[in-house]
Amino acid sequence: MPKVLANLEHARVLLQQAKRAVAFTGAGISAESGIRTFRGDGGLWNEIDIETFATPWGVQKLLQNEPQTYCKYLDMRAKIIYNAQPNAAHYALARLEQRGILAGIVTQNIDNLHDAAGSKTIFKLHGDLKTWHCLTCGAHAQQSVDDLRQRITAAQAVTTRAEFLALLPRCKVCDGYLRPSVVLFGESLPEDQVHGAMALLGQSDCLLIIGTSGVVEPAASFARQTSRRGVPTIEINLEPSDLSHVASVSLFGKAGEILPELVE
Ligand code: BJW
Ligand code: ZN
């Protein structure tokens, strides 16, 4: 039997024995929905400076000095993410949960595509783009996509900081400025999501690691620790990742093609 098929068979057996499998997902699972990954071929970080766009201090500086540049970035990200639809990999995980095999998903993605596919138990380690929070009192608010689209479009035409600030969504509790609840480098992960993820992973009996380079901490270490606890681990990725060494079996290819085959 060719190695690829033997690996798929091996992975099927591991999954069939599971009663509380957990999926740990990264940007690669949404690549076939048209959302760019961060690293590797075509990755966002090949063109975008991490320090400038993905740290709180970088974003703070941009908002002060070049709000339009930040808005263009947000516009580029939001347009793609808001228009994206779940792909076959997201739907396969939702079906696996409905069948009572998958206990839930721990994701690093901010795109909400697992929700859109119908998955129910999801812990989002790096936040999500539709949830915003107040910079003053911390209250959370859900932003409608249409409202955000209008604000982002209007913001591209502003010339002063005052005009830009006037376009930011405001807190209903204290009128402070809101920002997207997406976790940037150097920021803590949302505590409730981390606790939920740890509990889910702590009880898991099979781990699916899908579409992540496994380089961002502490997320990657949650998957690593689970695997090292002896939990059978199936990796799905285009290529070897920093988590491949803990996988019981690695399936190399597109998640949208491999996952449906594995699950059916
Ligand atoms: C396919 C595919 C297909 C493609 N099918 N596969 C310990 C050691 C070293 C550093 C640290 C450490 N602990 C903390 C740090 C610092 C830092 C960190 O990890 N740095 C390392 C990168 C060096 N971590 C943090 O700062 C975190 N916070 C934290 O630790 O808080 C505590 C603290 C507070 C204060 C001081 C110090 C510590 C926060 C991390 C936040 C990450 N945020 C981002 C960006 C958001 C911005 C935005 O969206 O605009 O989240 S970074 C980015 O990477 C994004 C992702 O969620 C995350 C993970 O990436 P992912 O999902 O793995 O994607 P890729 O692109 O890397 O990989 C895609 C994979 O898919 C590839 O392997 C492809 O092959 C594959 N693929 N198509 C299947 N079709
Ligand atoms: Zn507030």
Side-chain angles (χ1 to χ4, degrees), residues 72-85:
K72 277 196 184 119
Y73 172 71
L74 209 56
D75 185 43
M76 180 267 285
R77 296 273 289 141
K79 251 189 203 138
I80 297 169
I81 292 177
Y82 290 155
N83 290 325
Q85 299 299 323

Side-chain angles (χ1 to χ4, degrees), residues 82-157:
Y82 290 155
N83 290 325
Q85 299 299 323
N87 65 52
H90 298 102
Y91 287 119
L93 290 183
R95 282 199 301 279
L96 209 55
E97 187 180 17
Q98 276 161 14
R99 282 165 42 198
I101 297 168
L102 192 78
I105 297 173
V106 175
T107 189
Q108 300 167 85
N109 298 345
I110 60 163
D111 55 30
N112 289 309
L113 290 183
H114 288 303
D115 311 61
S119 288
K120 300 290 178 228
T121 302
I122 310 163
F123 294 102
K124 299 170 189 169
L125 296 178
H126 295 159
D128 76 282
L129 201 56
K130 284 182 195 156
T131 308
W132 287 47
H133 66 267
C134 174
L135 288 168
T136 309
C137 76
H140 283 87
Q142 292 295 317
Q143 284 298 308
S144 92
V145 172
D146 286 343
D147 177 67
L148 284 174
R149 272 202 191 116
Q150 281 170 17
R151 288 174 193 271
I152 290 172
T153 307
Q156 307 223 20

Side-chain angles (χ1 to χ4, degrees), residues 26-28 31-32 37-39 45 54 73 77 108-110 126 182-189 211-218 236-239 253-255:
E32 290 155 79
T37 59
F38 297 93
R39 301 165 187 84
W45 297 154
Y73 172 71
R77 296 273 289 141
Q108 300 167 85
N109 298 345
I110 60 163
H126 295 159
V182 171
V183 182
L184 302 173
F185 283 113
E187 292 186 317
S188 305
L189 278 54
T212 177
S213 58
V215 300
V216 172
E217 298 294 349
I236 300 175
N237 200 310
L238 292 182
E239 58 189 23
K254 291 183 176 179

Side-chain angles (χ1 to χ4, degrees), residues 133-140 170-178:
H133 66 267
C134 174
L135 288 168
T136 309
C137 76
H140 283 87
R170 304 289 277 264
C171 175
K172 289 204 172 78
V173 181
C174 77
D175 204 37
Y177 293 114
L178 300 180

